[in-house]
Amino acid sequence: MSFQKLADLGAAISETNQHNKHLSLSVSKELFCVSILDVLNGQYDHFKVFKSNASSYAEQVVEINNLLSSEDLSKFEFKSVSGSLIVKGNTLVPKALFHKEKVKEFHDFSLINVNVAPTYDFLTNLNAYNIYGVVPELEEVMLKFFPSIKLMHYSSILIESFLTVNSNNSNDVVYVTVFDSFFDLTLLREGNLLLNNSFKYQTVEDIAYYLLFVCKELSVELDKISISVFGNKTLTDQLKTLIDDYVLEINTQSIVTDVEVDQVISENLVNEFPELFNQYRCV
């Protein structure tokens, strides 16, 4: 892991303002990201990303433990702390059909993740539960430093955010969120979730194919609406070029509309890490 210092993060936090700060963390196999939101002023003012050199979750847990130990962010009393876990695979279950004692059954039936512990988030806007698997050791190291942290699957954060900003939108809305080995396709119709699915890909052409095929099958007229593309900037830029002739408009505006970013944190960064910068909506 690239051990960039978080000294500038710590320098911005003091005993007088720590209770006005929200700490957001995001963990994937490739990256560990940190951002701090000044809740009082409604502004993100700090962000750091660390690239992992780990070849396994066990090695990554050690990296994260060493990083957080060296920086000791846990000494601050943040107003709130949240974290997103970026791992492919989740199942949405309506509240009426959800039974806590059947979480493992739901998980094992639809997901193939091994060496994980089934868990879930409740999605208020959807009135449903999101079931997924978490690596126990990864969860433990986060709780070790931040006992009150609210850990969520990245898709829970994105779905809640998409539904929030489109609550009064009667048009079809399409979101594509690209990660390093898979992407999420989320479709909303009249403010309701129509589809949320993850697809593995090898090339950006795969993403374009899945997007156009699924939208055709669901009668989404891409030539009459705009779509939003988030995630890995290099890949999203390539995707925008590929699909430009098929869609009315490619929306590059962030869905983070009710807080501000400073000059260091550009809107491009907010769009590249939507699961990090939208966590405040879910705490």
Side-chain angles (χ1 to χ4, degrees), residues 77-114:
E77 296 180 6
F78 292 99
K79 178 180 178 64
S80 51
V81 182
S82 59
S84 62
L85 305 170
I86 303 176
V87 57
K88 183 180 182 298
N90 65 292
T91 297
L92 294 171
V93 178
K95 182 179 179 180
L97 301 178
F98 178 83
H99 299 282
K100 187 176 180 180
E101 62 275 12
K102 292 187 176 181
V103 167
K104 186 178 187 304
E105 183 178 333
F106 280 126
H107 176 273
D108 294 348
F109 177 77
S110 57
L111 303 173
I112 58 174
N113 297 335
V114 296

Side-chain angles (χ1 to χ4, degrees), residues 55 60 72 78 80 109 198 207:
S55 58
Q60 188 180 28
D72 198 21
F78 292 99
S80 51
F109 177 77
S198 297
I207 303 175

Side-chain angles (χ1 to χ4, degrees), residues 182-216:
F182 67 95
F183 75 97
D184 276 14
L185 179 58
T186 307
L187 278 66
L188 276 63
R189 179 162 289 166
E190 296 184 351
N192 299 308
L193 183 67
L194 180 64
L195 171 78
N196 182 77
N197 208 346
S198 297
F199 302 89
K200 289 185 176 180
Y201 69 90
Q202 293 183 332
T203 68
V204 69
E205 287 80 8
D206 294 338
I207 303 175
Y209 171 79
Y210 282 120
L211 168 64
L212 297 176
F213 176 78
V214 171
C215 287
K216 180 180 179 181

Side-chain angles (χ1 to χ4, degrees), residues 17-23 36-45 78-81 258-259 280 283:
N17 69 18
Q18 60 183 330
H19 298 104
N20 297 323
K21 304 287 186 177
H22 171 75
L23 176 68
I36 295 179
L37 171 68
D38 188 317
V39 179
L40 189 63
N41 297 318
Q43 181 177 32
Y44 275 109
D45 46 22
F78 292 99
K79 178 180 178 64
S80 51
V81 182
D258 48 351
V259 297
Y280 71 94
V283 295

Side-chain angles (χ1 to χ4, degrees), residues 3-16:
F3 283 94
Q4 302 178 44
K5 287 293 182 182
L6 289 175
D8 58 333
L9 292 180
I13 307 171
S14 66
E15 290 186 3
T16 56

Side-chain angles (χ1 to χ4, degrees), residues 42-56:
Q43 181 177 32
Y44 275 109
D45 46 22
H46 290 85
F47 166 79
K48 284 289 184 180
V49 59
F50 304 88
K51 184 172 178 57
S52 175
N53 296 316
S55 58
S56 67

Side-chain angles (χ1 to χ4, degrees), residues 3-278:
F3 283 94
Q4 302 178 44
K5 287 293 182 182
L6 289 175
D8 58 333
L9 292 180
I13 307 171
S14 66
E15 290 186 3
T16 56
N17 69 18
Q18 60 183 330
H19 298 104
N20 297 323
K21 304 287 186 177
H22 171 75
L23 176 68
S24 296
L25 309 171
S26 179
V27 184
S28 69
K29 281 188 176 181
E30 299 82 17
L31 302 173
F32 181 74
C33 304
V34 181
S35 69
I36 295 179
L37 171 68
D38 188 317
V39 179
L40 189 63
N41 297 318
Q43 181 177 32
Y44 275 109
D45 46 22
H46 290 85
F47 166 79
K48 284 289 184 180
V49 59
F50 304 88
K51 184 172 178 57
S52 175
N53 296 316
S55 58
S56 67
Y57 278 120
E59 292 181 6
Q60 188 180 28
V61 167
V62 173
E63 286 185 340
I64 294 174
N65 183 79
N66 291 340
L67 173 64
L68 294 177
S69 295
S70 64
E71 300 301 340
D72 198 21
L73 279 176
S74 58
K75 71 180 181 181
F76 297 108
E77 296 180 6
F78 292 99
K79 178 180 178 64
S80 51
V81 182
S82 59
S84 62
L85 305 170
I86 303 176
V87 57
K88 183 180 182 298
N90 65 292
T91 297
L92 294 171
V93 178
K95 182 179 179 180
L97 301 178
F98 178 83
H99 299 282
K100 187 176 180 180
E101 62 275 12
K102 292 187 176 181
V103 167
K104 186 178 187 304
E105 183 178 333
F106 280 126
H107 176 273
D108 294 348
F109 177 77
S110 57
L111 303 173
I112 58 174
N113 297 335
V114 296
N115 300 320
V116 298
T119 188
Y120 57 88
D121 305 324
F122 180 67
L123 280 59
T124 303
N125 289 331
L126 194 61
N127 198 31
Y129 288 87
N130 193 12
I131 299 173
Y132 58 98
V134 60
V135 178
E137 294 81 5
L138 192 56
E139 183 178 35
E140 288 170 9
V141 74
M142 303 288 273
L143 289 169
K144 169 186 173 181
F145 290 96
F146 307 105
S148 63
I149 189 172
K150 181 176 181 180
L151 289 172
M152 298 166 284
H153 194 258
Y154 77 91
S155 65
S156 299
I157 298 163
L158 296 181
I159 292 171
E160 287 284 76
S161 299
F162 296 155
L163 289 172
T164 295
V165 300
N166 289 284
S167 60
N168 297 314
N169 190 348
S170 61
N171 299 318
D172 285 353
V173 182
V174 179
Y175 292 104
V176 180
T177 310
V178 183
F179 299 100
D180 285 346
S181 60
F182 67 95
F183 75 97
D184 276 14
L185 179 58
T186 307
L187 278 66
L188 276 63
R189 179 162 289 166
E190 296 184 351
N192 299 308
L193 183 67
L194 180 64
L195 171 78
N196 182 77
N197 208 346
S198 297
F199 302 89
K200 289 185 176 180
Y201 69 90
Q202 293 183 332
T203 68
V204 69
E205 287 80 8
D206 294 338
I207 303 175
Y209 171 79
Y210 282 120
L211 168 64
L212 297 176
F213 176 78
V214 171
C215 287
K216 180 180 179 181
E217 290 297 302
L218 294 176
S219 301
V220 177
E221 298 177 295
L222 288 175
D223 58 337
K224 296 181 180 179
I225 65 171
S226 64
I227 74 167
S228 298
V229 181
F230 303 130
N232 184 296
K233 188 176 187 307
T234 300
L235 293 172
T236 55
D237 285 347
Q238 295 173 7
L239 178 62
K240 290 172 186 177
T241 301
L242 277 176
I243 65 175
D244 186 57
D245 292 337
Y246 299 93
V247 301
L248 174 65
E249 179 185 13
I250 299 173
N251 188 1
T252 58
Q253 183 178 1
S254 167
I255 58 171
V256 180
T257 56
D258 48 351
V259 297
E260 299 178 357
V261 294
D262 69 1
Q263 295 178 350
V264 178
I265 306 173
S266 66
E267 190 160 297
N268 285 337
L269 272 179
V270 173
N271 284 343
E272 189 167 357
F273 302 98
E275 76 290 339
L276 178 73
F277 289 102
N278 284 283

